[in-house]
Amino acid sequence: MEFSYKTTTERDTERLAAAFAQVLQPGDALALTGDLGAGKTAFVRYLARALGVPENQAVTSPTFTLQNIYHHGRLKLVHVDLYRLAGLEELEALGAEDWRAPDCVLLVEWAEKGLEILGPDCLRVEIEIGRDEERIFQLRATGPRSEELLRLLPQQL
Ligand SMILES: Nc1ncnc2c1ncn2[C@@H]1O[C@H](COP(=O)(O)OP(=O)(O)OP(=O)(O)O)[C@@H](O)[C@H]1O
Ligand SMILES: [Mg+2]
């Protein structure tokens, strides 16, 4: 199952993230892909804010640390960026096997570099850059829980 949203402004992306915030549950995982500047981090930031992560806690690409954890919202968020991942063996050193924990939501930027850590059932979110502020969010389920997530999301923003 798959469908897509088109956001024409960043404000629309904020709305989309808020819709996700309503339906995500502990144990869910989103695999975020898309070019540099597509909006993976922007989406995660709006999602974190919608879940109650306070403004004084920065939500930025964990490009160098590879992982950030936000505890202060409705859900514990594990935010990972695999852009600089040198090899899969590095994942083990980072403790990646704990990322897909039943009590957290896992959000992975550049997920295509380490899909194995996302497990068999994650929602793939591919962001394509259009004209100006336009972004296409292509969503694809890979198992029963991500199918359910797609059904729970609104058909339109
Ligand atoms: N509709 C939109 N949705 C999201 N971001 C948008 C939109 N329109 C414009 N932008 C801008 O696009 C940029 C997205 O940057 P962001 O850091 O989120 O990208 P990224 O996919 O995480 O890139 P990277 O791979 O470098 O981490 C921001 O500057 C944001 O303001
Ligand atoms: Mg980013």
Side-chain angles (χ1 to χ4, degrees):
M1 188 168 147
E2 59 179 83
F3 67 85
S4 64
Y5 291 100
K6 182 158 85 177
T7 74
T8 49
T9 63
E10 208 171 325
R11 177 77 188 95
D12 282 347
T13 296
E14 185 175 12
R15 273 193 211 104
L16 177 61
F20 269 84
Q22 303 262 329
V23 299
L24 285 173
Q25 293 297 338
D28 287 337
L30 302 184
L32 297 155
T33 56
D35 288 346
L36 290 168
K40 302 176 293 295
T41 304
F43 176 79
V44 170
R45 184 179 308 114
Y46 288 127
L47 178 61
R49 297 293 177 236
L51 287 167
V53 175
E55 292 284 341
N56 64 13
Q57 191 173 8
V59 177
T60 53
S61 253
T63 311
F64 293 98
T65 54
L66 295 184
Q67 57 176 314
N68 283 337
I69 298 182
Y70 315 113
H71 293 279
H72 300 291
R74 175 173 79 79
L75 299 167
K76 179 175 164 190
L77 299 180
V78 178
H79 179 195
V80 174
D81 186 338
L82 297 181
Y83 186 63
R84 286 180 191 277
L85 188 76
L88 289 180
E89 56 288 352
E90 208 184 328
L91 287 173
E92 210 173 309
L94 284 162
E97 65 277 7
D98 297 333
W99 285 341
R100 190 75 208 259
D103 64 330
C104 2
V105 170
L106 176 60
L107 307 164
V108 184
E109 298 190 37
W110 294 96
E112 64 269 43
K113 292 191 149 203
L115 277 175
E116 28 291 278
I117 65 158
L118 282 129
D121 187 359
C122 66
L123 188 63
R124 305 280 302 262
V125 180
E126 164 83 37
I127 310 174
E128 202 184 301
I129 303 179
R131 295 182 57 183
D132 305 321
E133 287 192 32
E134 189 177 284
R135 301 289 190 273
I136 318 292
F137 286 73
Q138 182 74 37
L139 309 182
R140 187 158 55 82
T142 63
R145 171 56 190 164
S146 47
E147 296 268 355
E148 187 184 10
L149 271 176
L150 281 190
R151 277 195 296 274
L152 291 169
L153 285 166
Q155 292 297 309
Q156 289 196 325
L157 293 176

